[in-house]
Amino acid sequence: MCLQALLPRPAPHASFIQEGSALRSVSVDLNNDASLLIDIPDALCERDKVKFTVHTKTTLSSFQKPEFSVPRQHEDFIWLHDTLVETEDYAGLIIPPAPPKPDFESPREKMHKLGEGEATMTKEEYTKMKQELEAEYLAVFKKTVQVHEVFLQRLSSHPVLSKDRNFQIFLEYDQDLSVRRKNAKEMFGGFFKNMVKSADEVLIAGVKEVDDFFEQEKTFLLDYFSKIKEATAKAEKMTRSHKNIADDYIRLSATLNSLSAEESTNYYIIKFCLKLFQNFLRVCLKKVEGRVASDEELKLTELLRYYMRDIQAAKDLLYRRARALADYENSNKALDKARLKGKDVSQAEEHQKRCLQKFDTLSESGKKELTNFKARRVVAFRKNLVEMAELEVKHAKNNMTLLQGCIELLSGN
Amino acid sequence: GFYRQTLHTNKTSIKFLNKGKLLLPLDFYCETSLCFQALDNRNVMFVHLSAFYSYRSLPFCRFFLQIEEEEGGDSFDIHISVSDPEKVGDGMNAYMAYKVTTKTSVALFRQRDFSVKRRFSDFLGLHSKLASKYLHIGYIVPPAPEKSIVGMTKVKVGKEDQSSNEFVERRRSALERYLMRTVKHPILLKDPDVLQFLESSELPRAVNTQALSSAGILRMVNKAAEAVNKMTIKMNESDAWFEEKQQHFENLDAQLRKLHASVECLVCHRKELSVNTAQFAKSAAMLGNSEDHTALSRALSQLAEVEEKIDQLHQDQANADFYLFSELLGDYVRLISAVKGVFDQRMKTWQKWQDSQMLLQKKREAEAKLQFTNKPDKLQQTKDEIKELEGRVQQGERDFEQISKTIRKEVSRFEKDRVKDFKMSIVKYLESLVQTQQQLIKYWEAFLPEAKAIS
């Protein structure tokens, strides 16, 4: 059974915008500048590959047309991210984290279970599970579209990164990017990427810090990263439990349905009772519990997940700065050596000056970036926490109304 | 009150004065006179429509309106609670003593409010006595709670942890439900063993507590079922009712077991959710500590507190899921085994009657043969045996009719109680869900200003 066969093509523009506000709020102030507006209005799933339609509207003269769309794959986004990371000029910037690979593991697992259990399930149960599977698949789909969209919008709203040549190519180039991707790999060879990442913690921690600001940031970010990673993992577990309960209610309502069919040969009262209870479970709890699970997930878990990646990007900035500092210190040592030997002094002086310059630029832009980052983070957390609390209240109130209606009907009978 | 009415009309609509007016229009031609109970707000009318004959050629269908007779009314008032579990003794001889308190206005009892101390084997002993007295004549005797070697060993060994506390609570609740079901039965309530159990301060120790657990009943049922396979039952009116009911209980059994399994799953997941919520709360608190923006740090700590409270809510909800829903279903799965047992007792009774009839037939044939021989002593003996067998056959027939009658009444009573039980439990369960939602609203509304205060 092909996943594709189960599902209709996702609805275009409107529905994504409406329901897609969740992830937009992880990074506020995106897509406000009308000079470059990017969105992903449509996406198509072929087997396991997702094809995104990237739509750009711009008033900038650097682009050939004012409005255009191109098809892109996940690998193209990764290519873009990596080229930005590898660009020396951007060493002092926080590069927005790359969107994670589309993960259809969970719905795929469910589909497998559905296929296996088809023989033992009643028609009702099968239909219900199939619906549930489709809903979950759609949710994963929406999430991955949003994550890729936010990545592009972070770039477009950054004063420096939005002007990047590769970014422009990504948006505009109407041919397949995969050829370019292969070339890029050969060109760059992955300097930064291939370096042992675990070294960065040691390097960042070990370097003697001259600047109070960076000293504080370093301590803060290292600690915060481990805490947010932990919180993300726990939040994911929590929302998974919620989903399990929503699934249980689905199964319960299917069984109650069969039970009430049996009781139809029996007394009216219990049949009414059961039908009501079963309807309640099906309509109210499944929807609401399911909705609670996904809203909670979107607001809280996605928020944490996103900022975990963002903080990693900030740490990468610190790492690059630490390397620059190490380079500068090495150049100093080299200059002293040169002076002692009396050889290649001017060369060493040049090198040292360059290193210092690089370090200073990095520090300056780094400071700006990190300050903005904090502000952005606080705003995003506020927005999400407020929205989450409001949604919880709304759902609980809905739930209560439905439940009380049920109780009234049952007691009155 | 009761009133008789002979209905010969072609079209009659019967209005049942229930809390919600239930209107049943019926086209029927009724041959027999019917008794049915007038309704007041407390009693519920059960109408069992059995379409035994349906003549499609006729312009109307023929229904036999069969109304199950109610005995008296459930106007007796008795409430039993099982409480204060107390460990008595030490080591492997230790046991749990429970306080059984009865509050009643029923005249059978010497007092209105009294309590005694009982242990688990006492309950099993009671059930064993009742089963031996009443099961074979067609009464549905509520099964006693299951034994649990693992659970009890933990308690004996003295493990004062959460799981052994939960076990004791689970058992206490099960014993209470067992007693309530037993005394709700109008016949069992009057039984001297029941009275003694509730009233006497000292009870002789129940030695042979091979209680008829649901497993035991099932064994009995299977043995009877083997015998059934050798029989052929004539399809007549009353047997159609029995066959239909048996099928109904088979189906019900299967459905309830499935439902029970689903609810057990729900309880498990709810407990998992509680654990995960608690863990998340801790991690949120640590994140709040690490956060250097003051207002955000505060909000995260508040979030951690909210989630901690919600964890407690989940635990309470899991308990409600379990006690109101899961245990109810478990009880009914066992009860239905008892019902099936009763049907098979009827089969056995029928078989006994048939056996004596066959024996009588043989003896009569033997008598006929002996008429032509010169063995006056043997002839007389045979005549005596025939007389005895005739008596047995008559008794067998009476027993069979009696047990059939009893079962009809019992099934009606059982179904009526089941409806009440389910409805009450469902309402209680929904109320527990309402409670949870109310608390959630409170917690999140309190958190909202904290979140908004981040700037």
Side-chain angles (χ1 to χ4, degrees):
Chain A
M1 201 201 300
C2 171
L3 212 53
Q4 181 59 23
L6 281 179
L7 306 163
R9 196 133 172 255
H13 203 92
S15 65
F16 277 138
I17 295 285
Q18 270 164 24
E19 308 216 27
S21 61
L23 256 174
R24 288 226 181 72
S25 51
V26 301
S27 210
V28 207
D29 299 334
L30 291 178
N31 240 19
N32 280 347
D33 182 6
S35 64
L36 186 60
L37 289 170
I38 307 177
D39 69 314
I40 301 182
D42 198 1
L44 183 61
C45 182
E46 259 166 32
R47 293 189 166 271
D48 283 344
K49 283 212 174 286
V50 184
K51 273 211 168 80
F52 304 94
T53 307
V54 179
H55 169 250
T56 314
K57 230 174 163 169
T58 178
T59 57
L60 299 172
S61 53
S62 46
F63 292 93
Q64 289 175 4
K65 287 187 269 188
E67 187 168 355
F68 47 89
S69 289
V70 291
R72 290 287 177 255
Q73 289 181 14
H74 170 73
E75 286 72 22
D76 300 328
F77 287 76
I78 301 300
W79 164 80
L80 178 60
H81 172 261
D82 291 350
T83 54
L84 294 173
V85 166
E86 312 258 344
T87 310
E88 280 251 23
D89 288 345
Y90 303 146
L93 305 175
I94 298 179
I95 311 292
K101 200 166 161 79
D103 177 21
F104 292 103
E105 184 59 44
S106 174
R108 206 179 300 135
E109 206 184 291
K110 270 210 170 118
M111 182 175 86
H112 189 65
K113 255 197 249 167
L114 194 70
E116 278 185 348
E118 189 173 353
T120 59
M121 285 193 240
T122 66
K123 187 156 174 272
E124 268 245 9
E125 283 177 358
Y126 184 75
T127 328
K128 275 201 167 68
M129 289 216 81
K130 201 174 117 188
Q131 281 175 351
E132 174 200 327
L133 172 64
E134 284 172 16
E136 185 160 334
Y137 183 82
L138 214 60
V140 172
F141 197 77
K142 271 192 213 161
K143 214 164 49 174
T144 193
V145 166
Q146 286 164 15
V147 151
H148 285 76
E149 199 179 57
V150 165
F151 171 70
L152 294 177
Q153 287 171 345
R154 279 279 301 273
L155 290 175
S156 69
S157 47
H158 194 284
V160 177
L161 293 171
S162 57
K163 302 196 179 67
D164 180 78
R165 176 82 190 114
N166 285 311
F167 184 43
Q168 197 174 339
I169 292 171
F170 178 92
L171 292 173
E172 234 182 0
Y173 190 64
D174 57 3
Q175 306 289 327
D176 194 352
L177 273 182
S178 52
V179 178
R180 281 204 157 236
R181 280 193 271 132
K182 282 202 205 91
N183 293 343
K185 262 215 175 81
E186 286 159 17
M187 261 174 49
F188 284 113
F191 290 137
F192 282 109
K193 274 202 84 185
N194 290 345
M195 279 180 199
V196 180
K197 256 314 174 67
S198 56
D200 69 358
E201 298 267 344
V202 179
L203 193 64
I204 298 175
V207 155
K208 209 158 28 125
E209 197 44 76
V210 292
D211 190 332
D212 260 347
F213 173 81
F214 281 101
E215 179 64 37
Q216 270 183 339
E217 281 300 305
K218 184 173 73 183
T219 322
F220 169 68
L221 281 178
L222 286 177
D223 182 42
Y224 200 75
F225 180 72
S226 68
K227 298 287 164 29
I228 202 171
K229 195 164 163 203
E230 180 72 7
T232 308
K234 298 295 186 242
E236 282 173 350
K237 266 175 110 175
M238 193 170 71
T239 50
R240 221 190 338 265
S241 282
H242 246 128
K243 274 215 185 106
N244 284 341
I245 291 181
D247 291 347
D248 285 337
Y249 278 126
I250 295 176
R251 219 166 299 128
L252 262 179
S253 78
T255 315
L256 275 174
N257 201 30
S258 328
L259 182 62
S260 75
E262 172 59 29
E263 302 276 28
S264 66
T265 64
N266 211 330
Y267 302 115
Y268 173 87
I269 291 159
I270 195 164
K271 179 187 173 192
F272 176 73
C273 225
L274 282 173
K275 255 272 147 15
L276 193 65
F277 192 39
Q278 177 235 327
N279 277 332
F280 160 73
L281 280 179
R282 181 166 39 90
V283 170
C284 156
L285 282 182
K286 180 244 165 171
K287 239 202 214 152
V288 181
E289 282 281 0
R291 186 81 67 68
V292 168
S294 59
D295 279 345
E296 195 183 73
E297 166 151 45
L298 282 179
K299 299 254 158 268
L300 188 62
T301 319
E302 277 305 306
L303 173 76
L304 292 172
R305 233 184 253 142
Y306 187 80
Y307 275 94
M308 185 178 80
R309 291 197 296 265
D310 221 2
I311 287 175
Q312 182 61 52
K315 276 170 68 190
D316 290 345
L317 168 60
L318 284 181
Y319 168 73
R320 292 192 289 266
R321 183 176 166 277
R323 272 214 74 91
L325 183 60
D327 287 343
Y328 171 61
E329 284 179 353
N330 287 341
S331 76
N332 263 337
K333 286 197 197 114
L335 180 61
D336 286 342
K337 235 179 162 182
R339 283 205 175 120
L340 248 122
K341 282 209 189 134
K343 248 171 83 172
D344 299 320
V345 176
S346 57
Q347 232 179 340
E349 277 179 351
E350 267 301 313
H351 182 58
Q352 190 239 38
K353 228 194 320 178
R354 269 204 314 274
C355 283
L356 181 59
Q357 219 172 26
K358 180 169 168 201
F359 176 67
D360 281 339
T361 350
L362 264 185
S363 298
E364 200 189 305
S365 84
K367 203 178 239 177
K368 235 191 308 182
E369 287 278 303
L370 287 170
T371 316
N372 286 343
F373 174 61
K374 182 192 298 287
R376 194 174 65 231
R377 187 180 83 246
V378 172
V379 169
F381 266 69
R382 179 186 192 281
K383 187 157 190 278
N384 275 285
L385 289 176
V386 167
E387 282 175 6
M388 180 176 81
E390 286 173 345
L391 276 168
E392 294 270 2
V393 171
K394 182 176 120 179
H395 287 143
K397 282 191 173 154
N398 279 348
N399 246 346
M400 223 172 70
T401 320
L402 276 160
L403 282 164
Q404 280 167 335
C406 262
I407 293 175
E408 231 159 274
L409 272 169
L410 282 171
S411 314
N413 221 342
Chain B
F2 281 78
Y3 59 101
R4 284 174 183 273
Q5 187 168 347
T6 316
L7 302 149
H8 288 287
T9 50
N10 217 348
K11 250 195 178 94
T12 303
S13 68
I14 297 181
K15 210 181 199 173
F16 293 115
L17 295 165
N18 214 335
K19 268 194 192 165
K21 295 197 175 113
L22 172 64
L23 217 77
L24 269 181
L26 298 164
D27 287 10
F28 70 101
Y29 169 68
C30 189
E31 287 178 319
T32 50
S33 61
L34 306 164
C35 301
F36 52 94
Q37 196 167 13
L39 297 159
D40 56 31
N41 270 344
R42 283 183 304 135
N43 292 340
V44 174
M45 169 62 82
F46 290 97
V47 175
H48 183 79
L49 291 173
S50 310
F52 289 121
Y53 307 100
S54 160
Y55 300 102
R56 285 193 179 76
S57 56
L58 297 178
F60 52 84
C61 286
R62 228 172 169 174
F63 284 90
F64 279 92
L65 194 68
Q66 217 172 341
I67 306 222
E68 316 300 341
E69 279 179 23
E70 300 292 323
E71 239 192 47
D74 44 356
S75 53
F76 64 90
D77 163 39
I78 177 167
H79 184 79
I80 302 186
S81 61
V82 175
S83 61
D84 304 317
E86 206 183 7
K87 186 166 164 204
V88 177
D90 262 317
M92 288 316 284
N93 288 328
Y95 64 89
M96 274 301 194
Y98 301 89
K99 183 167 164 205
V100 177
T101 309
T102 313
K103 290 193 168 77
T104 178
S105 60
V106 173
L108 285 165
F109 296 95
R110 285 175 252 152
Q111 293 169 283
R112 294 185 76 102
D113 187 345
F114 50 92
S115 50
V116 292
K117 282 270 192 197
R118 293 286 177 257
R119 55 185 291 187
F120 186 65
S121 55
D122 295 335
F123 289 80
L124 296 184
L126 173 66
H127 169 79
S128 169
K129 288 195 203 126
L130 294 176
S132 64
K133 276 198 257 184
Y134 294 104
L135 260 180
H136 71 278
I137 50 173
Y139 287 98
I140 301 171
V141 177
E146 300 285 347
K147 286 199 220 180
S148 165
I149 299 171
V150 175
M152 242 352 253
T153 312
K154 269 204 214 150
V155 173
K156 288 189 212 245
V157 163
K159 267 186 116 209
E160 267 288 330
D161 66 349
Q162 200 192 7
S163 74
S164 60
N165 285 342
E166 274 177 16
F167 169 78
V168 171
E169 172 54 29
R170 188 177 172 181
R171 174 162 280 190
R172 181 209 67 76
S173 174
L175 291 173
E176 195 174 88
R177 293 194 307 271
Y178 165 68
L179 284 180
M180 278 304 285
R181 289 211 173 90
T182 305
V183 299
K184 258 199 276 187
H185 195 300
I187 302 296
L188 295 179
L189 173 60
K190 303 189 194 120
D191 183 277
D193 283 319
V194 172
L195 298 174
Q196 188 191 38
F197 181 91
L198 293 174
E199 280 182 318
S200 309
S201 46
E202 287 297 314
L203 205 65
R205 181 76 196 278
V207 191
N208 185 17
T209 55
Q210 262 300 322
L212 278 166
S213 59
S214 59
I217 290 179
L218 211 59
R219 268 194 296 272
M220 199 174 73
V221 165
N222 287 337
K223 259 200 255 161
E226 282 169 33
V228 168
N229 287 334
K230 301 177 193 153
M231 298 192 282
T232 50
I233 306 251
K234 279 186 294 181
M235 263 312 275
N236 63 42
E237 241 170 70
S238 67
D239 284 315
W241 185 93
F242 282 95
E243 197 172 283
E244 188 192 301
K245 282 295 172 193
Q246 264 186 291
Q247 189 57 52
H248 166 68
F249 282 111
E250 285 290 335
N251 296 343
L252 200 61
D253 183 41
Q255 298 292 351
L256 287 180
R257 276 176 203 271
K258 217 164 152 201
L259 198 59
H260 188 210
S262 296
V263 177
E264 284 188 317
C265 209
L266 175 69
V267 172
C268 186
H269 284 146
R270 186 91 68 185
K271 288 197 175 147
E272 253 175 44
L273 177 62
S274 154
V275 168
N276 289 338
T277 308
Q279 283 187 341
F280 173 72
K282 282 203 194 88
S283 72
M286 299 210 15
L287 187 64
N289 280 341
S290 174
E291 175 63 58
D292 63 353
H293 186 275
T294 328
L296 180 55
S297 168
R298 233 179 86 94
L300 286 171
S301 304
Q302 295 290 67
L303 178 67
E305 274 183 37
V306 168
E307 294 287 357
E308 243 180 67
K309 290 194 203 137
I310 290 178
D311 160 35
Q312 187 57 51
L313 272 186
H314 289 318
Q315 280 183 41
D316 294 342
Q317 186 60 60
N319 274 339
D321 290 344
F322 183 70
Y323 284 105
L324 291 174
F325 209 174
S326 178
E327 288 285 76
L328 173 78
L329 292 170
D331 285 352
Y332 271 95
V333 166
R334 283 200 305 278
L335 273 165
I336 286 179
S337 294
V339 173
K340 293 207 278 195
V342 139
F343 275 96
D344 285 292
Q345 288 298 320
R346 176 174 172 267
M347 293 298 204
K348 265 172 132 178
T349 313
W350 188 87
Q351 183 66 61
K352 205 168 157 205
W353 174 30
Q354 297 304 303
D355 286 348
S356 14
Q357 218 160 22
M358 273 200 299
L359 215 58
L360 176 63
Q361 183 67 17
K362 278 208 187 105
K363 283 289 169 187
R364 286 214 171 109
E365 285 169 8
E367 183 199 29
K369 282 206 191 115
L370 282 171
Q371 296 279 16
F372 296 108
T373 65
N374 193 15
K375 289 182 186 157
D377 293 337
K378 258 234 150 136
L379 187 59
Q380 186 54 44
Q381 188 187 22
T382 311
K383 280 199 201 278
D384 290 338
E385 284 171 348
I386 287 177
K387 202 143 187 161
E388 195 216 321
L389 278 171
E390 278 173 346
R392 257 205 272 171
V393 167
Q394 275 179 359
Q395 185 59 45
E397 185 174 11
R398 274 201 297 270
D399 287 344
F400 181 69
E401 275 174 18
Q402 183 58 46
I403 196 176
S404 302
K405 190 163 156 219
T406 306
I407 290 179
R408 276 177 187 260
K409 273 207 287 241
E410 281 287 280
V411 166
S412 144
R413 187 193 56 82
F414 177 79
E415 290 287 68
K416 179 182 172 187
D417 282 345
R418 181 166 74 89
V419 168
K420 258 204 245 170
D421 219 348
F422 270 52
K423 186 162 142 181
M424 188 179 71
S425 298
I426 288 174
V427 168
K428 273 214 198 119
Y429 181 65
L430 293 177
E431 283 173 351
S432 81
L433 291 171
V434 168
Q435 263 278 77
T436 305
Q437 301 306 311
Q438 275 172 335
Q439 290 296 94
L440 279 173
I441 292 173
K442 211 171 88 181
Y443 296 150
W444 286 113
E445 279 184 339
F447 174 72
L448 205 50
E450 292 291 340
K452 288 192 173 154
I454 306 168
S455 59

